[in-house]
Amino acid sequence: MSPLRRRDFMRVSAVAVAAAATTRGLAGPAQAAAAPAGRTAATTLPPFAGAGSNAPVRPFALQEVKLGPSVFQEKRDRMKAFIREFDERRFLVPFNANAGRPNPPGVPVVGGWEDGGQLTGHWTGYYLTSLAHAYCDDGEQVFKDKSDWIVRELAAVQDAISARTAGGGAAQPPIGRVAGRFGQALKLGGDAPAQYVALPSAVLAGLTDFTVATWINRASTDGQDWSRVFDFGSGTGTNMFLTVSAGGGGARFAITTGGSQGEQRIDAPDPIPTGWTHVAVTLAGGTGTLYVGGEQVARNTALTLTPSDLAGAGNVWIGRSQYGDPPLDAAVDEFQIYDRALTQAEVLSLTGSAAGTTGGGSVAWYGFDEDGGTEAVDSSPHHRPATVVPAPDPADWVPTHPGYLGALPDDLVLRLGPPRFATYGGDTGTWAPWYTQHMLMRGLLDVHYATGNAQALQVVTKMADWAHLTLTLGDVNNPQYQGPITRADLNLMWDTYIAGEFNAVAEPIAEVYALTGDAKYLETAKFFDNRQSLFGACDRNEDILTVTHDRNPGPRRPDRLHANQHIPNNLGYLRIYEQTGEQEYLRVAKNFFGMVVPHRMYAIGGTGGTYPGSNANDEQFQNRGDIANALTHSGSETEATHSLVKLVRNLFFHVPDAAYVDYYERAVVNQILGSRQDSDSTGDPLITYFQSLAPGASRDFGNLGTGDGGAGLEDQTKYQELVYARSADGSTLWVNLYLASTLTWPERGFTVDQQTRFPRGDTSRLTITGSGRLDVKLRVPAWATGGFTVRINGVDAGVHAKPGTYLTLSRTWRSGDVIDVAMPFRIRIERATDRPDTQSVFWGPVLMSILGDPGNGAYRRLTLYSGLKRDGDYTRAALTPGAPTAAGDPTFTAGTLRLQPWYVGDPQPQSAYFRRVEPDIVFGPVATGVPNVKRDDGLPAYDMPVEGVASPGHDGLTFLDVVWDQAPFHTHGDFVSAVARTADDFQGRGLLTAAQKDTVVAAAARARTQLTP
């Protein structure tokens, strides 16, 4: 690896970039796009080097496809309203602070993970991308004005940071102490030089019964909702905390190993007041008590979790939140931890003196009586000092390489590499710094492509220069610097859980190569190959997304990979393939996707889950084939599905397989549409983080400032991106999705207007304007088993449509030609691969969820086969159509239960899966009295052990499953023959006796009238 010298740092002008792109001959679909109506000035858009820009099948620019009336348009318009009204100045506050630039008074930060924590800055990229998408829609000037302003400000920030590269920083201000309740105290937050206190993780070791007690003096209540007095854990999934107020209400203690959905809480009626206040939490024998001022204010007698359940907790903090909430603005004194629950009298005694009658904290006791500094003395018998973490000061850092752009010092990125190799969490750790770099680069490039903003490309190019220096020369200012970064160093970095989450940063860097022709950027993009622990295995099609520990090939990787840490990597690989033709990059992306879909895919298209009795992190991949046993109250992370959708779209451009679009449609129609709440907000994106598929679960909408909320900004503003596609030579048009939309194809002179109510209806009419020879490829969805008919100008086209393929209409088209497509939606049942009785109901492509909560985690139990006729149509009796919703969405009923589309964005409890219960073999109302026995199909068949689940097991299809899987039956004789064949097979397996077989076949023969449609 040849390191780049600092003198090679380049600034690329817009003219030079355009010239280089022209020389490379890169012509993308946006290059000749007509300006949408409403643009203030017609401009020729710059060359496009994004997904599919030089693939066999290419995308249309977002400007060239307009959505018509539909649920897609409704969701998009709600998100556009949020984007339009959101104050873009909020994004620049942390960037300016980091660069030493002034901020206007009274402008708040975005919040969420954008509050100064380690992902601060990533939402700026998402917002830029959504602005670009929104501008492509109707050319509203407000979206361009906002993006232009942000780009100008980011460019100024980048210049200010680069100018400091050779400068110096100010000395760290001393961390003193303030007057306390007893002696001295430590001031945290606000204008104090101390941000929070990090306790040694050993304070939680083996702790069951406990007391945590302290004095706090809140400076004010403004902006302090959810601020933590303490927060001990390993992230948002596993922690215990005490917050000064919860959602505007009272103080709350909570402990969980299953995220916010699994919290066990003690809720006080009032928040912790300002002024010196003593607070304490005790736990003994499952009873937890919260004290304020020595008085009991709340109790919970059903706590089953203890601190010992927070295994591996590395974030043991006073004044800081695992969730990125506002830091505590208060003085803290006499912070004590005991290994028992104090009595109320003992708690009350702590209000009169530092130790009261207790002798002081037996596990830890921090009185903050030092003269100052970053060490807090532990006065307990263990003598384990804590670390006072300084508030970051932008004046303290000197950038290592020019070109950096960020809302936090570049050390956050550099520490991931040698010599420190920082991990996730802790005071010297790091959290996905390259993820933030990717989102900023991606947003800037999207603005460049959509609006022609040349400055955006200049900023990205400087960022790519900085990335090259950072990944070759590395942390040159570190006293332990040992030379340029090696491939082994990179392997270790990308193998690091969460800290090494680089998302798809190789993608924009490869695009800078495509636009400039400078091979340095292609080299930089390849630095992100996750070579040691995953890339090679994917090239060999060896599924190691989850492995037993003895098969783990990486120096740092967990046995279960984090889904969204690794899905987006493949977007970068595909962009490298597009620029080089190196087949391994395409193979890796294809094989990786094939490991996730269908083997780890839920009904809505999502992934991620948990093993029974194992790691509870629902953002990680579940075992291959583990669906029913991985359903939790979290899981199916929105951003992971967002990444899968982007990946499968890019794969389609290289391998135009209808199966890829079948998945795309499933994920978009269900999880992505369902990720946006159906209500208006200009202050919150109202996007889901997880979409729980557990029975009776509810969806939480919000996520201002989180990665999932940012992904939602992008998802909801680009629904038109794959409705159509075109061949590189312009001879073929793919119609992939049946969405109400209008395509304008200026290079061929065609316009296609598609009128449909999809997914609320199952017919589509495409009207063509323009003339000429063109192959039109219509996708026949895999779910279209009820027929797919095509008429051209009212005449049956006589096509043979096979579900899961494309059919081609080759002809010379004339203006006014009309293509009518009918694809009747039918109810179909999908089974979980590992447990066939765990099933979902679909209406065509739409998952129909069962409303209500059955309670206690129980599944709805449905018996459906008795309602079937010979055609196998569930809607005749088993699931009957109900009245549409006010918005026109279909509904069904099953007895007293009501089903509605998953894409309806409301928070009411619902179940994506139910349990099929068919006790006896029946044919309509004709009963046999014979048990509906189950075949041994060796399920579940997991490739690695799952605690508490035998694999291979003995689960399988029932007798009626096997029979009705052969429907429809054209004649009653066909039906009886199928029953007879199945009965013979089950008798041969020893599952039915000869007498039972005869009884079943005879009953099937008698049921002619009952089964006739």
Side-chain angles (χ1 to χ4, degrees):
M1 191 178 300
S2 57
L4 181 73
R5 296 181 180 178
R6 290 175 184 257
R7 61 182 172 82
D8 294 323
F9 177 73
M10 59 182 289
R11 297 168 68 102
V12 180
S13 70
V15 174
V17 170
T22 303
T23 301
R24 288 181 55 79
L26 291 177
Q31 192 170 11
R39 292 202 187 281
T40 57
T43 58
T44 300
L45 294 177
F48 174 71
S53 57
N54 56 357
V57 180
R58 299 186 180 180
F60 286 97
L62 293 182
Q63 294 95 326
E64 295 173 324
V65 182
K66 301 298 178 189
L67 291 180
S70 66
V71 64
F72 301 95
Q73 185 188 56
E74 294 161 12
K75 302 266 188 176
R76 179 207 65 190
D77 288 350
R78 284 193 164 108
M79 189 59 80
K80 281 179 62 179
F82 166 81
I83 295 164
R84 185 185 293 110
E85 295 301 320
F86 198 79
D87 185 353
E88 64 274 15
R89 297 178 303 164
R90 297 172 67 178
F91 292 103
L92 266 296
V93 171
F95 284 92
N96 286 333
N98 190 42
R101 301 177 74 229
N103 274 307
V107 178
V109 297
V110 173
W113 296 344
E114 292 281 336
D115 69 336
Q118 292 188 342
L119 279 187
T120 301
H122 75 303
W123 242 60
T124 307
Y126 278 124
Y127 188 72
L128 282 169
T129 291
S130 67
L131 287 172
H133 292 170
Y135 182 63
C136 288
D137 184 35
D138 286 317
E140 290 182 66
Q141 189 66 28
V142 62
F143 298 119
K144 187 175 188 303
D145 289 345
K146 282 174 173 280
S147 65
D148 285 348
W149 182 85
I150 294 174
V151 170
R152 284 196 304 272
E153 291 297 305
L154 289 179
V157 167
Q158 186 182 50
D159 288 343
I161 292 174
S162 292
R164 298 173 59 179
T165 304
Q172 172 66 42
I175 297 178
R177 302 296 186 262
V178 298
R181 185 62 179 82
F182 301 106
Q184 297 188 125
L186 178 68
K187 177 66 171 69
L188 300 175
D191 296 329
Q195 187 177 26
Y196 65 97
V197 182
L199 277 56
S201 58
V203 300
L204 298 181
L207 198 61
T208 53
D209 292 0
F210 74 90
T211 298
V212 178
T214 189
W215 284 92
I216 69 167
N217 183 3
R218 297 183 64 191
S220 81
T221 59
D222 293 341
Q224 288 285 288
D225 191 30
W226 292 111
S227 292
R228 293 333 195 242
V229 177
F230 65 84
D231 197 337
F232 303 162
S234 56
T236 58
T238 302
N239 57 72
M240 74 179 216
F241 64 79
L242 175 63
T243 183
V244 296
S245 62
R252 171 181 295 170
F253 169 81
I255 183 169
T256 181
T257 57
S260 59
Q261 293 273 2
E263 284 181 357
Q264 299 178 12
R265 301 170 177 168
I266 309 173
D267 285 310
D270 300 305
I272 297 174
T274 57
W276 280 111
T277 305
H278 189 266
V279 292
V281 179
T282 68
L283 174 67
T287 295
T289 307
L290 178 59
Y291 296 91
V292 176
E295 300 295 329
Q296 177 183 316
V297 295
R299 172 170 286 196
N300 185 340
T301 60
L303 298 181
T304 61
L305 296 173
T306 72
S308 64
D309 293 306
L310 310 180
N315 303 334
V316 186
W317 296 327
I318 302 172
R320 179 179 174 185
S321 166
Q322 313 276 347
Y323 298 76
D325 298 301
L328 181 68
D329 185 6
V332 181
D333 196 8
E334 307 303 341
F335 191 93
Q336 303 180 52
I337 304 176
Y338 299 80
D339 58 3
R340 63 184 179 87
L342 300 184
T343 66
Q344 182 170 3
E346 288 175 318
V347 172
L348 185 60
S349 76
L350 293 176
T351 66
S353 63
T357 61
T358 69
S362 57
V363 175
W365 180 6
Y366 303 102
F368 306 110
D369 290 321
E370 309 83 14
D371 292 335
T374 59
E375 181 176 297
V377 173
D378 177 14
S379 298
S380 81
H382 297 287
H383 303 296
R384 294 179 290 225
T387 301
V388 180
V389 180
D393 186 341
D396 290 339
W397 69 285
V398 177
T400 302
H401 302 293
Y404 174 71
L405 175 61
L408 298 167
D410 64 348
D411 184 68
L412 192 70
V413 188
L414 291 161
R415 70 177 68 163
L416 178 64
R420 288 174 286 177
F421 292 111
T423 58
Y424 171 56
D427 305 320
T428 59
T430 187
W431 181 14
W434 286 102
Y435 172 106
T436 301
Q437 290 296 300
H438 170 236
M439 299 325 306
L440 288 169
M441 290 183 178
R442 181 71 273 154
L444 287 160
L445 277 177
D446 288 338
V447 166
H448 172 68
Y449 294 143
T451 72
N453 188 312
Q455 188 176 37
L457 180 57
Q458 293 171 8
V459 174
V460 173
T461 304
K462 293 179 186 179
M463 294 177 74
D465 289 326
W466 170 85
H468 189 83
L469 291 166
T470 300
L471 295 176
T472 52
L473 293 180
D475 193 3
V476 295
N477 293 338
N478 192 289
Q480 283 77 47
Y481 180 71
Q482 297 176 352
I485 292 180
T486 66
R487 168 48 64 182
D489 294 334
L490 294 171
N491 290 342
L492 188 63
M493 292 160 62
W494 310 144
D495 212 31
T496 308
Y497 172 74
I498 291 296
E501 181 177 1
F502 60 82
N503 217 34
V505 68
E507 175 192 59
I509 295 175
E511 291 176 31
V512 173
Y513 161 70
L515 294 170
T516 66
D518 189 332
K520 170 182 64 178
Y521 303 121
L522 181 60
E523 179 189 23
T524 306
K526 289 184 176 182
F527 289 157
F528 292 95
D529 297 355
N530 190 4
R531 286 279 171 181
Q532 181 168 354
S533 67
L534 190 58
F535 190 98
C538 288
D539 192 28
R540 299 186 299 271
N541 203 19
E542 177 187 349
D543 188 342
I544 59 169
L545 302 187
T546 54
V547 295
T548 53
H549 193 67
D550 60 309
R551 292 183 58 230
N552 189 327
R556 276 185 169 179
R557 63 159 276 175
D559 296 337
R560 300 175 63 208
L561 291 181
H562 184 277
N564 203 56
Q565 179 171 349
H566 296 282
I567 296 169
N569 302 169
N570 296 275
L571 299 171
Y573 301 154
L574 285 171
R575 205 67 83 255
I576 293 170
Y577 168 72
E578 288 169 357
Q579 299 305 322
T580 67
E582 296 176 41
Q583 288 292 321
E584 65 174 341
Y585 287 99
L586 177 60
R587 280 197 305 272
V588 166
K590 286 174 57 180
N591 291 340
F592 179 94
F593 181 80
M595 296 170 190
V596 181
V597 176
H599 303 292
R600 294 175 170 88
M601 181 192 76
Y602 297 119
I604 61 173
T607 191
T610 187
Y611 301 145
S614 184
N615 190 319
N617 187 337
D618 296 311
E619 294 183 3
Q620 293 180 326
F621 283 118
Q622 70 267 45
N623 194 4
R624 185 181 175 103
D626 185 356
I627 303 300
N629 282 322
L631 300 175
T632 68
H633 273 279
S634 294
S636 201
E637 186 187 2
T638 299
E639 189 176 1
T641 304
H642 155 91
S643 299
L644 281 170
V645 164
K646 295 182 75 170
L647 173 57
V648 78
R649 173 178 178 262
N650 205 171
L651 283 170
F652 170 79
F653 297 142
H654 299 283
V655 185
D657 188 333
Y660 284 147
V661 185
D662 282 333
Y663 170 76
Y664 180 98
E665 180 183 68
R666 173 194 293 267
V668 169
V669 167
N670 295 293
Q671 179 152 10
I672 300 301
L673 272 178
S675 69
R676 179 55 167 82
Q677 187 170 354
D678 293 335
S679 59
D680 297 324
S681 173
T682 57
D684 196 299
L686 298 180
I687 291 291
T688 55
Y689 193 119
F690 293 112
Q691 291 190 34
S692 173
L693 302 173
S698 300
R699 272 171 272 177
D700 292 327
F701 299 92
N703 287 291
L704 179 68
T706 72
D708 291 82
L713 298 183
E714 181 177 336
D715 290 333
Q716 302 299 320
T717 52
K718 59 168 184 158
Y719 281 120
Q720 71 268 43
E721 66 173 357
L722 196 60
V723 179
Y724 310 97
R726 63 181 180 88
S727 61
D729 64 3
S731 65
T732 304
L733 173 70
W734 275 263
V735 179
N736 293 317
L737 301 171
Y738 298 95
L739 273 61
S741 56
T742 300
L743 165 68
T744 302
W745 190 358
E747 293 92 342
R748 288 297 316 271
F750 280 111
T751 298
V752 179
D753 180 65
Q754 183 172 185
Q755 299 293 319
T756 176
R757 295 186 64 250
F758 182 92
R760 294 163 171 157
D762 54 11
T763 61
S764 182
R765 166 167 287 187
L766 296 98
T767 302
I768 295 175
T769 301
S771 60
R773 188 74 185 177
L774 183 67
D775 288 349
V776 177
K777 289 184 174 290
L778 300 176
R779 173 174 152 265
V780 185
W783 50 261
T785 55
F788 187 94
T789 59
V790 178
R791 302 176 72 85
I792 300 176
N793 298 329
V795 178
D796 192 328
V799 298
H800 173 67
K802 180 182 178 182
T805 66
Y806 284 89
L807 64 84
T808 303
L809 306 177
S810 297
R811 58 183 281 149
T812 299
W813 300 91
R814 294 178 174 82
S815 285
D817 282 348
V818 174
I819 305 171
D820 284 305
V821 176
M823 43 190 166
F825 287 7
R826 298 184 65 184
I827 285 287
R828 57 191 176 86
I829 304 295
E830 284 193 359
R831 306 184 184 105
T833 56
D834 54 334
R835 181 166 175 168
D837 70 343
T838 304
Q839 303 180 353
S840 294
V841 177
F842 278 83
W843 173 240
V846 179
L847 174 69
M848 303 297 295
S849 56
I850 304 173
L851 299 180
D853 184 0
N856 300 318
Y859 283 84
R860 298 290 189 185
R861 300 167 71 85
L862 298 182
T863 300
L864 301 175
Y865 281 135
S866 61
L868 294 187
K869 302 293 186 181
R870 203 174 63 230
D871 58 5
D873 186 350
Y874 280 88
T875 62
R876 293 191 180 278
L879 293 159
T880 55
T885 67
D889 302 305
T891 67
F892 286 87
T893 58
T896 60
L897 301 177
R898 186 169 181 265
L899 291 79
Q900 75 173 19
W902 184 269
Y903 65 71
V904 174
D906 65 43
Q908 65 179 308
Q910 52 197 290
S911 300
Y913 287 90
F914 67 94
R915 287 276 163 82
R916 189 72 168 265
V917 182
E918 309 280 358
D920 296 321
I921 298 174
V922 296
F923 305 115
V926 178
T928 67
V930 176
N932 184 29
V933 289
K934 184 181 294 184
R935 193 172 68 188
D936 186 351
D937 292 330
L939 297 175
Y942 302 142
D943 61 344
M944 57 180 287
V946 175
E947 184 178 332
V949 180
S951 180
H954 301 286
D955 202 355
L957 300 181
T958 68
F959 182 91
L960 288 175
D961 289 337
V962 176
V963 169
W964 286 106
D965 277 357
Q966 302 171 65
F969 302 99
H970 297 294
T971 67
H972 190 67
D974 292 338
F975 174 74
V976 175
S977 295
V979 172
R981 287 193 305 272
T982 306
D984 284 339
D985 176 60
F986 273 58
Q987 183 189 12
R989 295 170 182 266
L991 300 174
L992 291 178
T993 65
Q996 287 175 321
K997 181 191 79 170
D998 292 343
T999 298
V1000 167
V1001 175
R1006 291 199 311 273
R1008 176 187 298 271
T1009 300
Q1010 293 86 345
L1011 297 183
T1012 299

